[in-house]
Amino acid sequence: MTAHPEKQADPAAPTARTSATPSEQEPGNGGPAVPGPVVLPSAGSAWQLPSQPASPRGDGATVTAPPGPPGADEPVGSPGQKAAEWGWRGRANRLTGGTLTLTATREELVHRAARRRLLRSFTRTMSVVVANPKGGAAKTPTALIAAATLGFHRGGYTLAWDNNETRGTLGMRAEASTHQQTVVDLLHQIDDFLATSGSVGQLSAYLRPQSARFDVLASDDAAGSMDIIDAEAFRKLWTALCRFYRLIVIDTGNNIRAANWQSATAVADCLVVPTTVQRDVADSGLWMLDHLIRTGRADLAENAVAVVSCADPKPDTALLDDIVERYRQVVRDVVVIPYDRLIRSGGRIEYDQLAVPTRRAWLMACSSIIDSLGIRDQD
């Protein structure tokens, strides 16, 4: 277990009341915050920071640090990037007007590098698929917050799409809309958007805009209505949506034999495997990865990002360590998201209401997703 910063002997370490950096420009950052994620190496990581702890923390976020493409990002802590903006160091730098320059912590420098990697451009629309056949794996919060983080930091053109074969809950957990249009309503008019006559203005009638600069395409409340979204219908929807978005985050259901589930993984550029700190949920995600490997999608499994969400403020650290280590043997990166009361409540999730440690952890997670997309974009 990593010692809490306030208990460390190093007087330069940040305290538990470290403020979020003003350069993040994150809503709701005015209050105190606890430190962000710890960076850990994985088998798929080409670089790491020295002297990092060797095991994940239950009270923070654990994330492996993947490399960006050669030349795409400057090394962490390079000249001109060292001045602290977070916590008491950042406050001291601002109060002295530049006469004092305290160096940023390793954590802040890693966070800055991750934020820069989020801005990577791609040669086409990229699709992120969130999948775990076990219910209660936090698929919907994972898809929603991933899209929110990507949309907020990249400036929009991001869609969260509920592709559940039954009654999905993405629309219920997203911010409320003035209409109840769903993916089924869009499907009835999809030919207009496959042709040049369909416009983004017309498409907005079926979408639910979110304050974090992304859109939600909800599933139908009547579970039976989703049956019409077979492989052909999915392909039409995906093809049309690619005309209007740069990133599409696809939430899935629990049936890997469903036509729309298989269609989603067929177009996936990055697979995100969510799990909670529960053995059966983690085992289900690992079983799915093994299934993909056995059915010719080893590339998708090996380039995947696993997201372990702590549904309890004090998770079983031995089980957490075990889950992280087992996933690290299969996927490219593993990220641990700390407990957040808003996510756990089961209600609507607004990005600016998430705790600062949660937003920082998700920024790291999404930078890893972007890196996986970058690998796929080079194929």
Side-chain angles (χ1 to χ4, degrees), residues 273-294:
V273 186
T275 181
T276 54
V277 189
Q278 295 174 274
R279 192 169 301 280
D280 60 338
V281 179
D283 286 348
S284 176
L286 289 165
W287 173 86
M288 179 192 68
L289 288 165
D290 182 65
H291 168 76
L292 289 170
I293 293 170
R294 291 174 182 272

Side-chain angles (χ1 to χ4, degrees), residues 94-290:
R94 290 190 292 276
L95 287 172
T96 60
T99 59
L100 176 66
T101 304
L102 295 176
T103 303
T105 62
R106 177 187 289 108
E107 178 188 23
E108 183 178 351
L109 293 172
V110 169
H111 188 274
R112 291 183 195 175
R115 198 170 65 233
R116 289 194 297 273
R117 291 206 307 276
L118 278 186
L119 302 180
R120 177 181 180 137
S121 60
F122 301 103
T123 60
R124 56 183 172 82
T125 298
M126 307 302 288
S127 299
V128 178
V129 172
V130 180
N132 184 330
K134 178 69 174 176
K139 288 189 292 291
T140 295
T142 295
L144 188 63
I145 303 173
T149 304
L150 293 166
F152 181 83
H153 286 280
R154 291 174 60 90
Y157 296 97
T158 299
L159 176 71
W161 171 7
D162 194 340
N163 186 47
N164 197 312
E165 68 276 0
T166 57
R167 182 175 179 264
T169 59
L170 187 65
M172 290 185 285
R173 302 216 64 180
E175 295 173 61
S177 177
T178 57
H179 68 80
Q180 297 300 313
Q181 300 277 68
T182 71
V183 64
V184 172
D185 298 300
L186 175 59
L187 181 60
H188 291 323
Q189 305 297 326
I190 198 62
D191 288 341
D192 292 341
F193 298 100
L194 289 170
T196 56
S197 57
S199 69
V200 68
Q202 292 170 309
L203 181 63
S204 65
Y206 304 94
L207 305 171
R208 305 181 187 190
Q210 305 292 295
S211 58
R213 307 176 206 167
F214 73 106
D215 296 321
V216 166
L217 178 59
S219 65
D220 199 282
D221 289 341
S225 298
M226 293 295 291
D227 289 343
I228 67 172
I229 301 183
D230 55 13
E232 181 183 1
F234 176 91
R235 193 74 188 192
K236 285 185 176 181
L237 286 162
W238 178 79
T239 301
L241 292 167
C242 284
R243 294 185 56 207
F244 300 98
Y245 289 96
R246 293 184 294 194
L247 291 175
I248 300 176
V249 180
I250 305 173
D251 189 12
T252 62
N254 302 333
N255 183 7
I256 67 169
R257 294 181 178 86
N260 59 341
W261 193 98
Q262 294 180 355
S263 296
T265 54
V267 302
D269 295 298
C270 173
L271 177 68
V272 174
V273 186
T275 181
T276 54
V277 189
Q278 295 174 274
R279 192 169 301 280
D280 60 338
V281 179
D283 286 348
S284 176
L286 289 165
W287 173 86
M288 179 192 68
L289 288 165
D290 182 65

Side-chain angles (χ1 to χ4, degrees), residues 27-28 340 342-343 348-356 358-359:
D340 192 295
L342 180 64
I343 300 173
R348 296 190 185 278
I349 297 174
E350 296 185 31
Y351 181 72
D352 63 356
Q353 298 302 309
L354 294 169
V356 172
T358 304
R359 292 202 300 269

